[in-house]
Amino acid sequence: MRSITTRMDQHRQLSDADLLASLREDAREAFTEIYRRYWKKLLAIAYLHSRNKVIAEEIVQEVFISLWNRRNELYVDNIGAYLATAVRLSVFKQYARQKRRSQIAEQAADPLSASRDEEKIFSRFMQQHINGIVEELPEKCRLVFRLSREEGLAIPEIAQWMGIAEKTAEAHLTKALKVLKIHLNRPLIWAIILLGFLLP
């Protein structure tokens, strides 16, 4: 008992990156510590999007089960951002399934209207997913991306605003777009999107 307690105390001193490394080696204490650090925050996110305490608790539980099941293949830079994105994805899937069930009759009566609703859901999900990816970018890279895509500034304007060279601003934007392309081209993301629409 004392040995287990000691190991848990040791894991409480570890950084998130060290906890992930320990988790990949099947350390249950690392999993317990990650759960302790993040479950309240994840529950708040799940409830914010679902407005249902029971559903929020189920989603957080499923996300942590998935974390343990995928522990040996998980390589992420920010475990907090990863878990938060996983919760939002789970809420989206559940919402899409419920929406699908409730609109079966509407689709038969007005297919065009149903199609527009699905496009709105898809667009909202993709924006949330992109926001999650952008949040994991380095600070200057993230700022350049937002100034370019959200504020509509050109590279020379961004460079002047940030006090950096135009080539540097362009390099940051190129890096951000490359990271987004890699994430959005992952088969898992498209599988999740399709499941959200196709599950009965």
Side-chain angles (χ1 to χ4, degrees), residues 100 103 106-108 110-119:
R100 190 70 173 178
Q103 289 185 339
E106 291 182 21
Q107 289 178 3
D110 188 359
L112 183 59
S113 176
S115 176
R116 286 195 296 267
D117 287 341
E118 288 186 354
E119 288 175 3

Side-chain angles (χ1 to χ4, degrees), residues 61-120:
Q61 182 179 5
E62 289 173 1
V63 166
F64 275 111
I65 290 173
S66 176
L67 174 67
W68 176 256
N69 290 338
R70 299 186 59 227
R71 63 191 181 280
N72 301 124
E73 58 187 71
L74 195 62
Y75 291 87
V76 296
D77 295 327
N78 187 324
I79 185 61
Y82 169 82
L83 290 172
T85 299
V87 166
R88 286 192 290 267
L89 285 172
S90 295
V91 173
F92 168 79
K93 286 192 294 179
Q94 180 142 10
Y95 172 78
R97 284 195 294 266
Q98 292 174 346
K99 192 77 171 178
R100 190 70 173 178
R101 294 188 189 104
S102 66
Q103 289 185 339
I104 290 177
E106 291 182 21
Q107 289 178 3
D110 188 359
L112 183 59
S113 176
S115 176
R116 286 195 296 267
D117 287 341
E118 288 186 354
E119 288 175 3
K120 289 178 183 178

Side-chain angles (χ1 to χ4, degrees), residues 19-192:
L19 281 175
L20 279 174
S22 184
L23 183 65
R24 286 193 293 270
E25 297 176 357
D26 301 332
R28 292 184 179 273
E29 295 82 7
F31 176 81
T32 300
E33 176 58 19
I34 292 173
Y35 181 90
R36 187 191 68 80
R37 289 184 188 183
Y38 289 104
W39 75 269
K40 287 184 180 180
K41 178 181 178 181
L42 298 180
L43 186 61
I45 293 172
Y47 181 78
L48 176 66
H49 290 284
S50 68
R51 295 299 177 183
N52 185 302
K53 184 179 179 181
V54 174
I55 290 176
E57 290 173 348
E58 290 177 352
I59 285 172
V60 172
Q61 182 179 5
E62 289 173 1
V63 166
F64 275 111
I65 290 173
S66 176
L67 174 67
W68 176 256
N69 290 338
R70 299 186 59 227
R71 63 191 181 280
N72 301 124
E73 58 187 71
L74 195 62
Y75 291 87
V76 296
D77 295 327
N78 187 324
I79 185 61
Y82 169 82
L83 290 172
T85 299
V87 166
R88 286 192 290 267
L89 285 172
S90 295
V91 173
F92 168 79
K93 286 192 294 179
Q94 180 142 10
Y95 172 78
R97 284 195 294 266
Q98 292 174 346
K99 192 77 171 178
R100 190 70 173 178
R101 294 188 189 104
S102 66
Q103 289 185 339
I104 290 177
E106 291 182 21
Q107 289 178 3
D110 188 359
L112 183 59
S113 176
S115 176
R116 286 195 296 267
D117 287 341
E118 288 186 354
E119 288 175 3
K120 289 178 183 178
I121 296 172
F122 176 81
S123 176
R124 184 162 57 248
F125 160 74
M126 286 304 298
Q127 187 59 56
Q128 288 182 348
H129 181 59
I130 289 171
N131 288 344
I133 297 171
V134 171
E135 282 300 316
E136 294 189 43
L137 293 171
E139 183 179 355
K140 288 186 177 180
C141 188
R142 181 171 64 247
L143 181 56
V144 168
F145 177 84
R146 285 180 169 167
L147 289 173
S148 171
R149 291 303 184 262
E150 296 177 12
E151 302 299 330
L153 299 184
I155 289 295
E157 294 173 312
I158 294 173
Q160 183 177 8
W161 192 88
M162 294 181 62
I164 59 177
E166 290 185 19
K167 288 186 177 180
T168 302
E170 187 173 357
H172 283 310
L173 181 59
T174 299
K175 179 179 179 180
L177 294 174
K178 183 178 180 181
V179 170
L180 280 169
K181 182 178 179 182
I182 291 172
H183 279 76
L184 295 177
N185 280 347
R186 287 180 178 175
L188 175 61
I189 296 301
W190 297 115
I192 290 172

